Amino acid sequence: MSTKQFDVVVIGAGPGGYIAAIRAAQLGFTVACVDEWSNAKGGAAPGGTCTNVGCIPSKALLQSSEHFEHAGHSFAEHGIDVAGLSLNLGQMLKRKDTVVKQNNDGILYLFKKNKIAFFHGRASFAGAAGEGYEISVAGAANETLTTKHVIIATGSNARELPGALFDEKVILSNTGALAIDAVPAKLGVIGAGVIGLEMGSVWRRLGADVTILEGLPVLLGAVDEQIAKEAGKLFAKQGLKISLGCKIGTITPGADNVSVEYVDAKGEAVTAVFDKLIISIGRTPNTNGLAADKVGLQLDERGFIAVDGDCKTNLPNVWAVGDVVRGPMLAHKAEEEGVAVAERIAGQHGHTNFNTIPWVIYTSPEIAWVGKTEQTLKAEGIAYKAGTFPFLANGRARALGDTSGMVKFLADATTDEILGVHIVGPMASELISEAVVAMEFKASAEDIARICHAHPSLSEATKEAALAVDKRTLNF
């Protein structure tokens, strides 16, 4: 067993970890990054949940399934006749796997470019070592790393439902949901959050009869209520069946199906049988095998690593970022924290602004937002003005053939500062960035209303929604 010395050791090569490692290397530190993800051949697969079984493969399947749906339903309107349309699911999954591998390989290249030592294996605390720590790496070759600074970026795991453990055959987590080898006739989904809606959308487009069971009485409670209601109508129109206010009872897996007993919002007992069941009820912090107790690393009551506002743990020179700490479980939040921590280690003033972190749900239409919702502003007693503009009145959206949804601005009633922007519609994930920039610079709705936007473009709906705050839209 060899021992190697580094300034910084990063545990985990997901978005938070690999970005933290790169920024630390840019700042002149000697850096190692340890990650245990493996591909089907046993090779290293850095990128974490996001790259391997989350953001990246889900977007690949969402794109492929959207192409399939367009070919079957909307191409004819464009004068494109498709005869003998068929689904090659094997090729679709193969493409998804290729996209994942390209991202894995890209991260390995970035490590090499930035002279970061990468270790494929599971890292755990072995104990203190002088002013720093010893980190054990259990892999093909066991290693011991010594370091002054440790950044923990071990991510999260899918939360299991008691009595319905994942077998990835009929009861699926996000991992199994991305690798179903035949389109199920009936697909059940428990949880109408981001993963449930995205995976439900993929398999509905490919031909599954999809039912989503949600425990809350409203759809997407964290989303602006007006936007969530609009999205709900559009999902229903597409044939995505969403039952709210469900109380899940016994789940019984069979050889090739699964039975779900639940009580619906009306109080009626229902038994549904599905070919596959995706459970997407949130995620739990991953501290498995970290040996936190060996060094006295403190966890909070929910199992997250306890950190302060700067991502410092209770141990000197030990930091934690991303899904394993408080705050939204978003890849880009993890990246921002990773950069900020690397800069703090270097004596700089890294910063992460939780108030301007964008959220996106990659359904069709997409849903994206930043800042406060209307219901939050009401609850906080903040006086505001609202402006909305529908994509129905946007020329580019008409040309695209996707006029669903709207852009909504919320601005302070007195100062006109933008407090929140909410979008449901085409390319919402891209459009939201303008709002993030505007809010970072504390722009007013009037600032956006006065900026020239290209015509025809979807971004004009953003300008028009800003104009709507002052009740002076030009195209609606």
Side-chain angles (χ1 to χ4, degrees):
M1 182 183 286
S2 60
T3 301
K4 296 172 182 174
Q5 172 75 41
F6 297 93
D7 297 326
V8 180
V9 169
V10 182
I11 302 175
Y18 88 80
I19 289 292
I22 290 170
R23 185 67 186 120
Q26 288 176 344
L27 289 164
F29 295 110
T30 58
V31 182
C33 186
V34 187
D35 188 83
E36 68 173 336
W37 275 91
S38 298
N39 56 30
K41 296 179 180 176
T49 294
C50 177
T51 294
N52 291 294
V53 291
C55 331
I56 301 301
S58 65
K59 301 312 155 289
L61 285 185
L62 280 158
Q63 188 66 60
S64 296
S65 64
E66 198 164 338
H67 285 327
F68 181 72
E69 185 164 67
H70 286 327
H73 295 92
S74 59
F75 274 8
E77 187 184 331
H78 290 267
I80 304 168
D81 295 323
V82 178
L85 179 69
S86 63
L87 172 66
N88 183 341
L89 182 57
Q91 173 57 31
M92 191 177 286
L93 294 174
K94 183 179 176 185
R95 176 187 179 273
K96 177 258 298 180
D97 292 340
T98 299
V99 170
V100 168
K101 188 174 187 306
Q102 287 169 342
N103 280 267
N104 295 145
D105 292 347
I107 295 167
L108 290 171
Y109 162 75
L110 288 169
F111 284 155
K112 190 174 180 181
K113 176 189 172 187
N114 289 281
K115 298 180 173 57
I116 295 163
F118 176 70
F119 295 89
H120 184 208
R122 172 169 285 216
S124 61
F125 282 99
E131 290 186 0
Y133 301 89
E134 277 195 350
I135 304 294
S136 294
V137 180
N142 293 333
E143 309 262 9
T144 299
L145 315 180
T146 60
T147 181
K148 181 175 181 183
H149 295 275
V150 179
I151 303 175
I152 304 167
T154 47
S156 60
N157 299 314
R159 185 188 297 278
E160 291 194 301
L161 197 61
L165 303 184
F166 299 124
D167 60 15
E168 305 299 6
K169 293 174 183 171
V170 292
I171 299 179
L172 315 174
S173 69
N174 53 294
T175 301
L178 289 160
I180 302 173
D181 58 7
V183 178
K186 285 188 176 293
L187 174 67
V189 181
I190 296 178
V194 176
I195 295 169
L197 288 170
E198 289 185 1
M199 288 296 91
S201 293
V202 165
W203 295 106
R204 181 203 61 76
R205 291 173 194 162
L206 300 179
D209 179 358
V210 179
T211 300
I212 301 179
L213 306 175
E214 169 59 50
L216 294 174
V218 295
L219 178 66
L220 296 170
V223 176
D224 184 87
E225 194 174 333
Q226 183 180 9
I227 297 295
K229 283 180 178 174
E230 181 69 17
K233 286 180 203 167
L234 295 166
F235 293 148
K237 192 175 177 184
Q238 292 169 5
L240 202 59
K241 290 178 272 191
I242 303 174
S243 294
L244 302 172
C246 296
K247 290 189 177 74
I248 305 297
T250 304
I251 297 174
T252 310
D256 54 7
N257 61 25
V258 55
S259 171
V260 180
E261 295 175 20
Y262 65 96
V263 177
D264 66 17
K266 296 175 184 173
E268 295 176 5
V270 181
T271 299
V273 178
F274 303 108
D275 299 297
K276 305 279 185 186
L277 179 67
I278 299 170
I279 296 179
S280 54
I281 55 169
R283 300 182 65 79
T284 57
N286 176 26
T287 56
N288 301 339
L290 200 55
D293 54 336
K294 274 196 180 177
V295 285
L297 179 66
Q298 184 183 334
L299 307 182
D300 70 16
E301 65 281 357
R302 294 184 298 157
F304 290 93
I305 294 174
V307 292
D308 65 10
D310 288 339
C311 293
K312 288 180 184 172
T313 70
N314 66 305
L315 300 176
N317 301 325
V318 177
W319 314 71
V321 302
D323 284 9
V324 82
V325 303
R326 80 288 176 268
M329 287 185 167
L330 297 169
H332 42 285
K333 174 260 197 183
E335 291 180 349
E336 294 304 309
E337 286 183 330
V339 168
V341 163
E343 292 175 351
R344 287 168 191 144
I345 290 172
Q348 298 180 8
H349 300 283
H351 177 62
T352 304
N353 184 358
F354 277 31
N355 296 320
T356 53
I357 292 176
W359 296 69
V360 182
I361 304 174
Y362 294 86
T363 45
S364 182
E366 291 183 345
I367 304 166
W369 69 98
V370 62
K372 294 185 183 291
T373 64
E374 192 164 358
Q375 59 264 35
T376 300
L377 293 174
K378 285 177 181 173
E380 294 178 358
I382 298 171
Y384 66 91
K385 299 177 289 183
T388 62
F389 187 82
F391 283 106
L392 186 67
N394 176 269
R396 183 69 193 278
R398 290 193 194 112
L400 285 172
D402 187 356
T403 56
S404 58
M406 69 180 82
V407 179
K408 178 175 182 176
F409 264 66
L410 298 168
D412 188 281
T414 305
T415 66
D416 197 41
E417 181 182 342
I418 300 165
L419 302 176
V421 177
H422 307 270
I423 308 172
V424 55
M427 303 304 289
S429 58
E430 303 296 334
L431 295 173
I432 201 63
S433 291
E434 180 180 9
V436 175
V437 172
M439 287 181 65
E440 275 288 351
F441 282 92
K442 297 202 174 297
S444 65
E446 182 72 12
D447 287 328
I448 301 301
R450 290 285 178 186
I451 291 172
C452 182
H453 289 64
H455 176 78
S457 69
L458 295 172
S459 69
E460 288 178 287
T462 305
K463 175 187 174 83
E464 291 276 6
L467 283 164
V469 170
D470 196 41
K471 296 183 171 53
R472 61 178 211 268
T473 55
L474 297 169
N475 284 285
F476 185 68

